């Protein structure tokens, strides 16, 4: 499967609403203030935060959305947020592709560290991020006991991205 990262369209962002089957799932992904079963307009308002760039990971063969993520400027880093893979596409290594493609996008804008938050109970995501070189660090703001703050140093991000690109060729 060939993938490509593109700026997310409104229709792709609206598809995300159907990827969550409970308020808990959606709030774990989008934040505690993310209304579950809201209108499409409200969903877009909550999703499209100022300063965040939204991206879709597409299957290049049939143009279907496989994943989604955002890049924003937080803590002096490229901060990755609202990362998700389509429920029927999980377990295929697409999260690594999404993170790698987002890292390429971020580093092409500016060379600096990459950060993200992950729920402590999300062992699959923790393992994925760790395998890409992210490390759990003290959070730069008041600690949320449900979350780990993770960082990937820019130098390590380059190594990780190069490894990913070699695997793609």
């Amino acid at each position: 499967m060939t993938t490509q990262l593109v700026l997310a369209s409104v229709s792709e962002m609206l598809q995300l609403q159907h990827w969550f089957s409970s308020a808990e799932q959606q709030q774990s992904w989008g934040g505690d203030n993310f209304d579950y079963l809201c209108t499409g307009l409200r969903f877009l308002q909550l999703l499209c935060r100022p300063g965040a760039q939204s991206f879709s990971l597409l299957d290049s063969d049939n143009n279907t959305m496989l994943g989604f993520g955002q890049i924003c400027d937080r803590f002096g880093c490229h901060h990755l947020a609202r990362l998700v893979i389509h429920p029927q596409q999980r377990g295929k290594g697409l999260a690594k592709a999404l993170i790698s493609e987002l890292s390429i996008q971020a580093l092409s804008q500016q060379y600096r560290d990459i950060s993200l938050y992950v729920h402590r109970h999300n062992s699959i995501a923790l393992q994925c991020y760790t395998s890409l070189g992210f490390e759990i660090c003290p959070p730069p703001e008041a600690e949320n006991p449900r979350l780990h703050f993770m960082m990937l140093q820019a130098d390590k991000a380059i190594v990780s991205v190069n490894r990913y690109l070699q695997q793609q060729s």
Side-chain angles (χ1 to χ4, degrees):
M1 177 184 322
T2 307
T3 61
Q4 70 180 87
L5 190 74
V6 299
L7 283 171
S9 69
V10 169
S11 65
E12 289 162 354
M13 289 188 271
L14 287 172
Q15 286 179 43
L16 295 171
Q17 275 188 287
H18 307 290
W19 291 12
F20 306 101
S21 57
S22 70
E24 181 183 350
Q25 282 182 358
Q26 185 171 295
Q27 289 171 348
S28 177
W29 164 76
D32 292 340
N33 66 340
F34 222 104
D35 306 335
Y36 184 64
L37 296 178
C38 58
T39 66
L41 179 60
R42 175 74 177 144
F43 187 87
L44 289 173
Q45 287 171 337
L46 293 166
L47 183 61
C48 297
R49 297 185 295 200
Q53 293 178 291
S54 297
F55 293 92
S56 296
L57 185 69
L58 302 180
D59 179 334
S60 299
D61 298 331
N62 59 23
N63 219 31
T64 57
M65 188 166 70
L66 303 169
F68 176 86
Q70 293 179 319
I71 302 172
C72 50
D73 182 12
R74 285 183 81 185
F75 321 119
C77 301
H78 294 294
H79 188 77
L80 306 183
R82 296 185 171 153
L83 306 168
V84 64
I85 298 298
H86 188 289
Q88 296 175 351
Q89 300 296 331
R90 294 179 183 157
K92 300 179 180 179
L94 291 170
K96 287 182 181 179
L98 175 63
I99 301 296
S100 297
E101 292 287 349
L102 287 168
S103 297
I104 291 167
Q105 180 67 37
L107 291 169
S108 73
Q109 296 173 17
Q110 186 177 4
Y111 181 81
R112 60 182 175 169
D113 297 344
I114 300 170
S115 65
L116 56 80
Y117 278 107
V118 61
H119 278 265
R120 292 174 188 253
H121 66 77
N122 194 343
S123 57
I124 293 171
L126 273 165
Q127 191 279 325
C128 174
Y129 304 149
T130 302
S131 74
L132 292 170
F134 282 86
E135 296 177 358
I136 295 172
C137 300
E141 58 189 4
E143 186 166 356
N144 180 330
R146 296 176 299 167
L147 302 174
H148 284 303
F149 179 74
M150 300 186 82
M151 295 268 306
L152 178 61
Q153 295 173 347
D155 291 347
K156 290 184 180 180
I158 295 293
V159 171
S160 179
V161 161
N162 283 333
R163 189 177 329 119
Y164 166 76
L165 292 172
Q166 287 172 356
Q167 292 170 351
Q168 300 308 302
S169 54

